[in-house]
Short mmCIF file of all heavy atoms in Angstrom, two decimals:
data_model
loop_
_atom_site.label_atom_id
_atom_site.label_comp_id
_atom_site.label_asym_id
_atom_site.label_seq_id
_atom_site.Cartn_x
_atom_site.Cartn_y
_atom_site.Cartn_z
N PRO R 437 -6.76 -15.29 -6.40
CA PRO R 437 -8.11 -15.82 -6.52
C PRO R 437 -9.25 -14.86 -6.34
O PRO R 437 -10.36 -15.15 -6.66
CB PRO R 437 -8.12 -16.86 -5.41
CG PRO R 437 -6.69 -17.15 -5.01
CD PRO R 437 -5.99 -15.84 -5.22
N PHE R 438 -8.91 -13.66 -5.92
CA PHE R 438 -9.96 -12.67 -5.61
C PHE R 438 -9.89 -11.41 -6.41
O PHE R 438 -10.69 -10.47 -6.27
CB PHE R 438 -9.92 -12.34 -4.04
CG PHE R 438 -9.67 -13.39 -3.21
CD1 PHE R 438 -8.41 -13.80 -2.68
CD2 PHE R 438 -10.67 -14.27 -2.82
CE1 PHE R 438 -8.17 -14.86 -1.88
CE2 PHE R 438 -10.49 -15.39 -2.07
CZ PHE R 438 -9.30 -15.70 -1.53
N GLN R 439 -9.03 -11.42 -7.39
CA GLN R 439 -8.85 -10.18 -8.18
C GLN R 439 -10.00 -9.78 -9.04
O GLN R 439 -10.20 -8.63 -9.35
CB GLN R 439 -7.57 -10.27 -8.94
CG GLN R 439 -6.27 -10.30 -8.06
CD GLN R 439 -5.01 -10.43 -8.91
OE1 GLN R 439 -5.03 -10.34 -10.14
NE2 GLN R 439 -3.91 -10.63 -8.18
N ALA R 440 -10.79 -10.81 -9.51
CA ALA R 440 -11.86 -10.56 -10.39
C ALA R 440 -12.89 -9.66 -9.78
O ALA R 440 -13.57 -8.85 -10.54
CB ALA R 440 -12.51 -11.84 -10.89
N GLY R 441 -13.08 -9.72 -8.47
CA GLY R 441 -14.11 -8.91 -7.86
C GLY R 441 -13.62 -7.59 -7.31
O GLY R 441 -14.36 -6.89 -6.64
N ILE R 442 -12.46 -7.20 -7.65
CA ILE R 442 -11.80 -5.92 -7.10
C ILE R 442 -12.21 -4.80 -8.07
O ILE R 442 -12.05 -4.87 -9.25
CB ILE R 442 -10.31 -6.04 -6.96
CG1 ILE R 442 -9.98 -7.14 -5.91
CG2 ILE R 442 -9.70 -4.73 -6.54
CD1 ILE R 442 -8.53 -7.44 -5.83
N ALA R 443 -12.70 -3.75 -7.47
CA ALA R 443 -13.03 -2.49 -8.30
C ALA R 443 -11.86 -1.97 -9.01
O ALA R 443 -10.69 -2.09 -8.59
CB ALA R 443 -13.61 -1.44 -7.41
N GLU R 444 -12.15 -1.38 -10.17
CA GLU R 444 -11.07 -0.81 -11.00
C GLU R 444 -10.26 0.22 -10.22
O GLU R 444 -10.88 1.08 -9.61
CB GLU R 444 -11.68 -0.20 -12.28
CG GLU R 444 -10.64 0.29 -13.23
CD GLU R 444 -11.28 0.82 -14.59
OE1 GLU R 444 -12.43 0.62 -14.76
OE2 GLU R 444 -10.50 1.37 -15.43
N GLY R 445 -9.01 0.19 -10.37
CA GLY R 445 -8.15 1.16 -9.61
C GLY R 445 -7.85 0.77 -8.18
O GLY R 445 -7.09 1.47 -7.54
N LYS R 446 -8.40 -0.39 -7.71
CA LYS R 446 -8.16 -0.77 -6.31
C LYS R 446 -7.21 -1.92 -6.13
O LYS R 446 -7.01 -2.40 -5.13
CB LYS R 446 -9.53 -1.07 -5.64
CG LYS R 446 -10.48 0.08 -5.54
CD LYS R 446 -9.94 1.19 -4.70
CE LYS R 446 -10.95 2.30 -4.57
NZ LYS R 446 -10.40 3.42 -3.69
N LEU R 447 -6.69 -2.39 -7.35
CA LEU R 447 -5.68 -3.42 -7.27
C LEU R 447 -4.30 -2.79 -7.63
O LEU R 447 -4.15 -2.22 -8.76
CB LEU R 447 -6.02 -4.58 -8.29
CG LEU R 447 -4.98 -5.70 -8.39
CD1 LEU R 447 -5.00 -6.48 -7.11
CD2 LEU R 447 -5.36 -6.67 -9.57
N TYR R 448 -3.35 -2.88 -6.70
CA TYR R 448 -2.16 -2.15 -6.85
C TYR R 448 -1.01 -3.08 -7.24
O TYR R 448 -0.99 -4.26 -6.84
CB TYR R 448 -1.81 -1.41 -5.51
CG TYR R 448 -2.96 -0.64 -5.03
CD1 TYR R 448 -3.54 -0.88 -3.76
CD2 TYR R 448 -3.49 0.45 -5.80
CE1 TYR R 448 -4.61 -0.16 -3.30
CE2 TYR R 448 -4.57 1.19 -5.37
CZ TYR R 448 -5.17 0.85 -4.09
OH TYR R 448 -6.21 1.62 -3.66
N THR R 449 -0.04 -2.52 -7.99
CA THR R 449 1.15 -3.31 -8.26
C THR R 449 2.01 -3.50 -7.00
O THR R 449 1.88 -2.71 -6.06
CB THR R 449 1.99 -2.65 -9.39
OG1 THR R 449 2.52 -1.41 -8.90
CG2 THR R 449 1.10 -2.34 -10.58
N GLN R 450 2.90 -4.43 -7.07
CA GLN R 450 3.83 -4.70 -5.92
C GLN R 450 4.72 -3.43 -5.70
O GLN R 450 5.03 -3.06 -4.56
CB GLN R 450 4.63 -5.90 -6.17
CG GLN R 450 3.77 -7.20 -6.14
CD GLN R 450 4.54 -8.42 -6.48
OE1 GLN R 450 5.78 -8.38 -6.54
NE2 GLN R 450 3.85 -9.52 -6.70
N GLU R 451 5.05 -2.82 -6.85
CA GLU R 451 5.93 -1.66 -6.73
C GLU R 451 5.25 -0.46 -6.06
O GLU R 451 5.74 0.27 -5.22
CB GLU R 451 6.45 -1.24 -8.16
CG GLU R 451 7.39 -2.23 -8.81
CD GLU R 451 6.72 -3.46 -9.29
OE1 GLU R 451 5.43 -3.46 -9.53
OE2 GLU R 451 7.44 -4.47 -9.37
N GLN R 452 3.89 -0.28 -6.44
CA GLN R 452 3.10 0.74 -5.81
C GLN R 452 2.99 0.57 -4.29
O GLN R 452 3.19 1.50 -3.51
CB GLN R 452 1.72 0.86 -6.42
CG GLN R 452 1.56 1.46 -7.78
CD GLN R 452 0.18 1.40 -8.27
OE1 GLN R 452 -0.44 0.35 -8.39
NE2 GLN R 452 -0.41 2.52 -8.73
N THR R 453 2.70 -0.63 -3.97
CA THR R 453 2.53 -0.97 -2.57
C THR R 453 3.76 -0.78 -1.79
O THR R 453 3.81 -0.20 -0.67
CB THR R 453 1.98 -2.40 -2.42
OG1 THR R 453 0.63 -2.50 -2.91
CG2 THR R 453 1.97 -2.79 -0.86
N ALA R 454 4.93 -1.24 -2.28
CA ALA R 454 6.19 -1.13 -1.67
C ALA R 454 6.57 0.39 -1.45
O ALA R 454 7.01 0.75 -0.29
CB ALA R 454 7.25 -1.82 -2.46
N GLU R 455 6.34 1.16 -2.42
CA GLU R 455 6.63 2.59 -2.33
C GLU R 455 5.85 3.25 -1.26
O GLU R 455 6.35 4.06 -0.43
CB GLU R 455 6.41 3.32 -3.64
CG GLU R 455 7.42 2.98 -4.74
CD GLU R 455 7.14 3.73 -6.06
OE1 GLU R 455 6.16 4.58 -6.08
OE2 GLU R 455 7.86 3.42 -7.05
N ARG R 456 4.56 2.90 -1.11
CA ARG R 456 3.65 3.46 -0.09
C ARG R 456 4.09 2.99 1.24
O ARG R 456 4.21 3.83 2.22
CB ARG R 456 2.24 3.08 -0.40
CG ARG R 456 1.68 3.69 -1.64
CD ARG R 456 0.37 3.03 -2.01
NE ARG R 456 -0.28 3.72 -3.17
CZ ARG R 456 -1.35 3.23 -3.81
NH1 ARG R 456 -1.78 2.01 -3.42
NH2 ARG R 456 -1.93 3.92 -4.68
N LEU R 457 4.34 1.72 1.43
CA LEU R 457 4.69 1.15 2.73
C LEU R 457 6.00 1.75 3.23
O LEU R 457 6.17 2.12 4.48
CB LEU R 457 4.71 -0.38 2.73
CG LEU R 457 3.39 -1.04 2.39
CD1 LEU R 457 3.64 -2.58 2.25
CD2 LEU R 457 2.34 -0.74 3.50
N VAL R 458 7.01 1.77 2.35
CA VAL R 458 8.36 2.30 2.79
C VAL R 458 8.22 3.81 3.16
O VAL R 458 8.84 4.28 4.12
CB VAL R 458 9.36 2.09 1.64
CG1 VAL R 458 10.63 2.89 1.92
CG2 VAL R 458 9.60 0.57 1.44
N SER R 459 7.45 4.53 2.40
CA SER R 459 7.23 5.95 2.68
C SER R 459 6.61 6.14 4.01
O SER R 459 7.04 7.03 4.79
CB SER R 459 6.35 6.61 1.54
OG SER R 459 6.09 7.91 1.87
N VAL R 460 5.54 5.40 4.37
CA VAL R 460 4.86 5.50 5.63
C VAL R 460 5.80 5.13 6.73
O VAL R 460 5.95 5.76 7.73
CB VAL R 460 3.57 4.63 5.66
CG1 VAL R 460 3.07 4.61 7.04
CG2 VAL R 460 2.55 5.24 4.78
N MET R 461 6.57 4.05 6.54
CA MET R 461 7.48 3.54 7.52
C MET R 461 8.51 4.57 7.91
O MET R 461 8.79 4.91 9.09
CB MET R 461 8.18 2.25 7.06
CG MET R 461 9.23 1.64 8.06
SD MET R 461 10.89 2.37 7.85
CE MET R 461 11.37 1.68 6.28
N LYS R 462 9.11 5.19 6.91
CA LYS R 462 10.10 6.18 7.09
C LYS R 462 9.63 7.48 7.78
O LYS R 462 10.33 8.19 8.44
CB LYS R 462 10.83 6.56 5.78
CG LYS R 462 11.69 5.44 5.25
CD LYS R 462 12.46 5.80 4.04
CE LYS R 462 13.39 4.67 3.57
NZ LYS R 462 14.29 5.06 2.47
N GLY R 463 8.30 7.72 7.62
CA GLY R 463 7.74 8.86 8.17
C GLY R 463 6.92 8.68 9.49
O GLY R 463 6.30 9.55 9.96
N LEU R 464 7.04 7.49 10.06
CA LEU R 464 6.30 7.15 11.28
C LEU R 464 6.64 8.13 12.41
O LEU R 464 7.83 8.43 12.60
CB LEU R 464 6.50 5.72 11.75
CG LEU R 464 5.87 4.59 10.95
CD1 LEU R 464 6.33 3.24 11.36
CD2 LEU R 464 4.33 4.73 11.00
N SER R 465 5.61 8.51 13.19
CA SER R 465 5.85 9.40 14.28
C SER R 465 5.30 8.74 15.60
O SER R 465 4.48 7.85 15.53
CB SER R 465 5.05 10.75 14.06
OG SER R 465 3.69 10.55 13.95
N PRO R 466 5.67 9.21 16.77
CA PRO R 466 5.28 8.57 17.99
C PRO R 466 3.78 8.59 18.15
O PRO R 466 3.23 7.75 18.85
CB PRO R 466 5.98 9.49 19.08
CG PRO R 466 7.24 9.95 18.36
CD PRO R 466 6.87 10.20 16.96
N GLU R 467 3.09 9.55 17.51
CA GLU R 467 1.64 9.64 17.68
C GLU R 467 0.93 8.46 16.99
O GLU R 467 -0.19 8.20 17.34
CB GLU R 467 1.09 10.93 16.98
CG GLU R 467 1.52 12.26 17.71
CD GLU R 467 2.96 12.62 17.53
OE1 GLU R 467 3.56 12.14 16.48
OE2 GLU R 467 3.51 13.35 18.33
N GLN R 468 1.69 7.79 16.14
CA GLN R 468 1.10 6.63 15.42
C GLN R 468 1.37 5.32 16.15
O GLN R 468 0.86 4.28 15.76
CB GLN R 468 1.65 6.52 14.02
CG GLN R 468 1.19 7.71 13.18
CD GLN R 468 1.93 7.77 11.80
OE1 GLN R 468 3.18 7.88 11.87
NE2 GLN R 468 1.28 7.69 10.75
N ASN R 469 2.11 5.36 17.22
CA ASN R 469 2.52 4.13 17.96
C ASN R 469 1.24 3.36 18.38
O ASN R 469 0.33 3.84 18.99
CB ASN R 469 3.32 4.50 19.14
CG ASN R 469 3.97 3.27 19.84
OD1 ASN R 469 4.42 2.36 19.16
ND2 ASN R 469 4.06 3.28 21.17
#
């Protein structure tokens, strides 16, 4: 319902988001706790 107001390039595909989240998760360090 909110996609019409999103700036170009700021709406990500599910695949893009999953890749980013998994990458960050696998690289988490104690400093980020």
